[in-house]
């Protein structure tokens, strides 16, 4: 049965593993969910951020008027940020059309002048449709390696008014594409735009702000076989995924914010000195909030800020190329261990159940530990879920096997053992207990005296009544004292104690059972006489010694029995009760094992034994049976 359990669990594991390989793309969404759990449990530690958000919030709109503001007011805001010493100023806002406010062209010229006088970065976006406007990045690019022909490229760039683009110090792409579940997990640092004269590289908004912050003029991009490999900005090297993205590493808390209304009122803000300032609209309903791994809604400018923090601290998340195969190896090894411990669940539940639980959760624990210790991504939830399915299947199959085994044991022993002993046997390591072994046991053999002569005088029905009467009494008294009925042999019964369940006082229990049977048989003779049936006398042979006990037989029939000289001696002692004139005879082994004082009958010649054997009985044997044999 157990091999069938192992085969079933192995087949299920193989199907799960094959599905994971064949439907890798479909399961990738679950990977992202697992990585979200990692980030929620272990966000990046808080740092003194170089980024400050200047937010056009509800208070700003209340004081300065509704959005959109005219260009003159935006110029005042840029001037205020610059005057507080910001090292780079990013406007997470597009200005594609001329100012339509009363200030008109004058306001545009004012904003252009403010952008020109400050280390400013304007946002641009991408479009799948080629755009007619020709706008170029401000930063220079060095390219190491060849750009693969099949690397996806954007069709066009959507930018602000050319007046502003020409005067700003930098231009960066603000676009980011969430995963299919709407969660923003990977942020592009570089965008590829196809041009007639070759590929054109655009930096992200955050990367362009960092360029101004560290006072560099350009970037270096290194290509790999399938796409981007890394970016270099001054002394900073950023590892990339092939698509030019990095995994967003979330942090504790929010980025520091300053209301634009404070700056427009002329308040000095020391937090801006030397900082990267990002001007963004945060008023409710005006800006787009993003779902990130650890938060349902984050301001887009705050996402840019966290990317800049990653670039400056080098706190990057990496996923090894062979990660999926390592995860699958975890599953294979875990499956083997689950099957091994699942096979022990009935025998050693205190060991196997905790071990299986630990094996099931170990992939997730290992994956989370790799993330917490080194920002490495290994998906531990899917292997854990697969192991749980295997464990449930294996555990249920082993449970069914154990129940069938208990039922078989109950059927095999219920007629020969007391219910308490059957229950104890079923709850124990029964396979080991009923295996053939050498064990000290006490053997009792009893039969009806003169039974052969009776059969000639009685009908078949009367013979059955007599035999069942004796065997019923014997069975009650033997099972009452936790003995095992080995077999019925016509008018005789063979019982053993201390197997399959151990009992310390097995000799005393056997003696008490024999005496009780003799006593009850004598007491019930009046009932038989009243039914015109012959009265009964019985003889009992007892011996204690080492026997081979366990399941013996063939493929067609197996019986639990005891084999050895002790059994043979008990049989000869029972036969000798006729010649010795007592209803009970015991051997020397039994006399030494029982706590009852035994009376020596003398040395008796027994059939099958070369030398005479010393035999014993109990002192009050005559009072047990009123008639001497």
């Amino acid at each position: 049965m157990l091999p069938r359990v192992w085969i079933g669990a192995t087949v299920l594991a193989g199907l799960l593993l094959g599905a994971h390989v064949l439907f890798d793309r479909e399961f990738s969404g679950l990977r992202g969910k697992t990585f979200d759990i990692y980030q929620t449990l272990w966000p990046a530690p808080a740092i003194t951020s170089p980024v400050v958000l200047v937010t056009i919030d509800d208070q700003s709109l209340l004081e300065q008027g509704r959005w959109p503001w005219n260009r003159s007011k935006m110029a005042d805001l840029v001037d205020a940020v610059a005057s507080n010493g910001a090292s780079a100023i990013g406007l997470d806002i597009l200005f594609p059309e001329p100012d339509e406010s009363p200030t008109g062209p004058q306001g545009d010229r004012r904003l252009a002048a403010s952008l020109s006088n400050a280390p400013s970065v304007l946002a641009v976006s991408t479009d799948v449709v080629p755009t007619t406007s020709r706008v170029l990045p401000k930063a220079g690019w060095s390219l190491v390696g060849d750009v693969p022909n099949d690397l996806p490229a954007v069709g066009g760039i959507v930018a602000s008014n050319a007046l502003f683009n020409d005067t700003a110090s930098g231009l960066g792409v603000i676009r980011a594409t969430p995963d299919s579940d709407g969660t923003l997990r990977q942020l592009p640092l570089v965008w590829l735009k196809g041009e007639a004269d070759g590929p054109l590289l655009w930096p992200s908004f955050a990367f362009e702000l960092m360029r101004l912050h560290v006072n560099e003029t350009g970037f270096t991009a290194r290509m790999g076989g399938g796409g981007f490999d890394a970016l270099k900005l001054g002394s900073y090297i950023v590892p990339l995924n092939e698509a030019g993205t990095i995994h967003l590493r979330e942090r504790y808390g929010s980025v520091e914010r300053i209301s634009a209304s404070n700056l427009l009122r002329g308040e000095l803000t020391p937090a801006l000195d030397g900082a990267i300032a990002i001007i963004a609209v945060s008023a409710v309903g005006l800006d787009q909030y993003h779902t990130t791994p650890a938060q349902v809604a984050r301001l887009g400018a705050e996402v840019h800020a966290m990317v800049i923090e990653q670039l400056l601290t080098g706190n990057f998340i990496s996923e090894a190329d062979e990660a999926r195969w390592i995860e699958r190896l975890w599953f294979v090894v875990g499956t083997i261990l689950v099957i091994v411990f699942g096979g022990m669940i009935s025998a050693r539940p205190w060991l196997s159940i905790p071990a299986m639980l630990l094996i099931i959760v170990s992939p997730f624990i290992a994956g989370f530990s790799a993330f917490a210790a080194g920002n490495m991504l290994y998906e531990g939830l899917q292997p854990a879920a697969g192991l749980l399915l295997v464990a449930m299947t294996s555990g249920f199959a082993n449970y069914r096997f154990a129940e069938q085994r208990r039922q078989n044991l109950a059927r095999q022993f219920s007629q020969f053992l007391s219910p308490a002993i059957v229950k104890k046997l079923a709850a124990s390591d029964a396979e080991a207990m009923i295996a053939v072994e050498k064990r000290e046991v006490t053997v009792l053999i009893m039969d009806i005296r003169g039974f052969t002569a009776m059969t000639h005088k009685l009908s078949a029905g009367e013979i059955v009544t007599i035999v069942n009467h004796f065997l019923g009494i014997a069975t009650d008294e033997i099972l009452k004292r936790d003995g095992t009925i080995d077999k019925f042999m016509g008018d005789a019964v063979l019982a053993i104690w201390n197997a399959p369940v151990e009992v310390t006082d097995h000799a005393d229990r056997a003696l008490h059972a024999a005496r009780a049977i003799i006593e009850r048989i004598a007491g019930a003779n009046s009932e038989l006489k009243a039914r015109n049936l012959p009265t009964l006398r019985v003889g009992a042979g007892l011996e204690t010694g080492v026997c081979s006990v366990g399941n013996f037989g063939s493929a067609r029939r197996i019986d639990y029995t005891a084999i050895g000289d002790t059994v043979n001696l008990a049989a000869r002692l029972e036969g000798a009760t006729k010649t010795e004139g007592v209803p009970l005879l015991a051997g020397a082994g039994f006399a030494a094992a029982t706590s009852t004082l035994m009376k020596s009958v003398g040395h008796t010649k027994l059939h099958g034994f070369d030398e005479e054997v010393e035999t014993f009985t109990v002192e009050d044997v005559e009072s047990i049976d009123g008639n001497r044999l």
Side-chain angles (χ1 to χ4, degrees):
M1 179 64 183
L2 277 178
R4 291 166 59 186
V5 174
W6 298 336
I7 291 172
T10 302
V11 169
L12 174 62
L15 291 174
L16 292 174
L17 189 62
H20 192 268
V21 174
L22 293 175
F23 302 102
D24 181 74
R25 184 187 298 272
E26 287 74 10
F27 284 111
S28 61
L30 295 176
R31 297 179 65 80
K33 295 292 187 183
T34 303
F35 301 154
D36 293 350
I37 295 173
Y38 293 166
Q39 296 233 44
T40 302
L41 296 175
W42 196 266
I47 64 169
T48 303
S49 178
V51 184
V52 175
L53 304 185
V54 177
T55 56
I56 301 172
D57 52 12
D58 293 328
Q59 181 63 33
S60 300
L61 298 184
L62 183 64
E63 293 184 12
Q64 302 296 327
R66 68 180 186 178
W67 185 259
W69 289 347
N70 61 55
R71 303 294 160 75
S72 294
K73 190 169 294 185
M74 290 302 302
D76 291 340
L77 181 57
V78 172
D79 291 341
V81 175
S83 66
N84 277 277
S87 63
I89 304 171
L91 282 77
D92 190 12
I93 304 166
L94 286 171
F95 304 100
E97 304 295 336
D99 189 358
E100 296 180 357
S101 68
T103 60
Q106 181 182 353
D108 284 343
R109 287 193 296 271
R110 276 203 59 199
L111 178 56
S114 296
L115 294 173
S116 177
N117 294 329
S120 59
V121 174
L122 285 182
V124 299
S125 189
T126 63
D127 198 340
V128 294
V129 179
T131 51
T132 57
S133 60
R134 177 69 170 173
V135 58
L136 298 175
K138 296 286 185 173
W141 284 90
S142 297
L143 193 61
V144 179
D146 297 324
V147 178
N149 294 328
D150 58 349
L151 192 63
V154 300
I157 295 293
V158 178
S160 295
N161 190 293
L163 176 63
F164 305 137
N165 294 335
D166 293 341
T167 55
S169 304
L171 299 173
V173 180
I174 58 172
R175 187 176 180 83
T177 303
D179 290 349
S180 58
D181 62 353
T183 302
L184 196 61
R185 297 186 178 92
Q186 297 196 49
L187 282 302
L189 289 188
V190 58
W191 293 83
L192 178 67
K193 182 177 184 296
E195 297 285 350
D197 55 351
L200 182 65
L201 299 182
W202 275 89
S204 71
F205 183 71
F207 209 21
E208 184 76 333
L209 277 170
M210 181 178 167
R211 180 181 68 84
L212 268 62
H213 178 68
V214 299
N215 198 26
E216 291 288 339
T217 59
F219 306 97
T220 300
R222 185 175 68 203
M223 308 304 296
F228 292 100
D229 180 59
L231 293 178
K232 186 175 185 295
L233 174 64
S235 60
Y236 295 92
I237 297 178
V238 183
L240 295 179
N241 297 323
E242 290 182 346
T245 63
I246 62 171
H247 291 275
L248 177 64
R249 184 69 170 99
E250 293 213 51
R251 53 167 286 180
Y252 286 105
S254 300
V255 181
E256 183 176 358
R257 299 187 184 192
I258 298 172
S259 175
S261 60
N262 297 347
L263 292 167
L264 290 173
R265 287 196 302 267
E267 294 182 9
L268 292 178
T269 311
L272 287 172
D273 189 21
I276 299 173
I278 300 178
I279 299 174
V281 180
S282 66
V284 176
L286 294 180
D287 192 57
Q288 182 180 4
Y289 282 75
H290 303 275
T291 299
T292 59
Q295 287 199 14
V296 175
R298 275 196 187 269
L299 185 65
E302 194 170 7
V303 175
H304 295 312
M306 288 191 295
V307 172
I308 293 172
E309 291 175 4
Q310 285 184 250
L311 297 174
L312 291 172
T313 60
N315 191 15
F316 301 113
I317 300 174
S318 60
E319 184 175 5
D321 294 336
E322 65 277 7
R324 282 171 170 78
W325 292 108
I326 292 175
E327 295 157 12
R328 290 161 186 160
L329 180 61
W330 285 349
F331 175 69
V332 170
V333 174
T335 295
I336 295 172
L337 294 175
V338 162
I339 292 174
V340 169
F341 282 100
M344 301 165 54
I345 197 166
S346 60
R348 298 178 179 85
W350 54 269
L351 170 65
S352 56
I353 293 177
M356 289 176 70
L357 291 176
L358 181 60
I359 293 165
I360 290 168
V361 301
S362 62
F364 182 81
I365 294 174
F368 174 71
S369 299
F371 177 79
N375 280 339
M376 293 294 296
L377 290 181
Y378 291 100
E379 208 287 86
L381 201 57
Q382 290 183 63
L387 289 175
L388 178 61
L389 288 175
V390 173
M392 291 174 62
T393 302
S394 176
F396 177 75
N398 278 292
Y399 169 77
R400 290 290 302 158
F401 169 71
E403 284 301 305
Q404 291 176 3
R405 181 176 63 86
R406 291 188 181 98
Q407 292 172 8
N408 291 337
L409 287 170
R411 282 194 297 269
Q412 182 179 359
F413 288 98
S414 59
Q415 299 182 50
F416 310 110
L417 293 171
S418 68
I421 294 298
V422 172
K423 183 177 180 180
K424 183 176 180 181
L425 181 64
S428 65
D429 187 3
E431 297 290 350
M433 294 183 68
I434 63 177
V436 177
E437 63 173 338
K438 294 283 189 179
R439 180 183 289 193
E440 183 181 75
V441 296
T442 295
V443 179
L444 167 65
I445 296 180
M446 299 188 73
D447 76 350
I448 302 172
R449 297 275 72 87
F451 180 74
T452 302
M454 283 184 200
T455 60
H456 297 301
K457 302 176 183 179
L458 300 175
S459 67
E462 290 172 328
I463 293 173
V464 170
T465 300
I466 291 294
V467 172
N468 288 347
H469 172 76
F470 163 64
L471 295 180
I473 292 175
T475 298
D476 289 345
E477 299 303 331
I478 291 168
L479 296 186
K480 190 184 298 182
R481 291 161 180 82
D482 296 333
T484 300
I485 297 177
D486 187 312
K487 59 178 65 70
F488 295 136
M489 303 169 291
D491 66 320
V493 60
L494 167 61
I496 59 175
W497 276 260
N498 203 39
V501 178
E502 292 185 4
V503 289
T504 55
D505 55 344
H506 50 89
D508 291 338
R509 291 173 185 248
L511 179 59
H512 295 160
R515 296 173 70 171
I517 294 168
I518 294 172
E519 206 169 55
R520 282 189 60 185
I521 290 294
N525 275 335
S526 58
E527 299 176 15
L528 295 176
K529 192 172 182 180
R531 297 166 60 185
N532 294 320
L533 293 173
T535 57
L536 301 182
R537 291 177 297 172
V538 293
L542 285 163
E543 179 59 323
T544 299
V546 177
C547 289
S548 295
V549 292
N551 275 326
F552 291 86
S554 67
R556 290 180 175 272
R557 179 179 175 84
I558 294 178
D559 284 324
Y560 186 83
T561 187
I563 297 175
D565 289 341
T566 302
V567 179
N568 297 333
L569 181 56
R572 299 296 181 260
L573 290 169
E574 182 273 326
T577 57
K578 304 172 185 176
T579 59
E580 295 297 328
V582 292
L584 184 150
L585 277 180
F590 178 87
T594 183
S595 61
T596 300
L597 181 63
M598 302 297 291
K599 172 185 177 182
S600 177
V601 175
H603 289 75
T604 305
K605 177 63 178 176
L606 301 177
H607 178 70
F609 288 81
D610 295 334
E611 299 179 358
E612 291 185 345
V613 176
E614 186 177 10
T615 56
F616 298 85
T617 189
V618 286
E619 287 284 353
D620 57 349
V621 67
E622 282 87 5
S623 66
I624 293 174
D625 184 358
N627 299 303
R628 292 292 299 270
L629 295 181

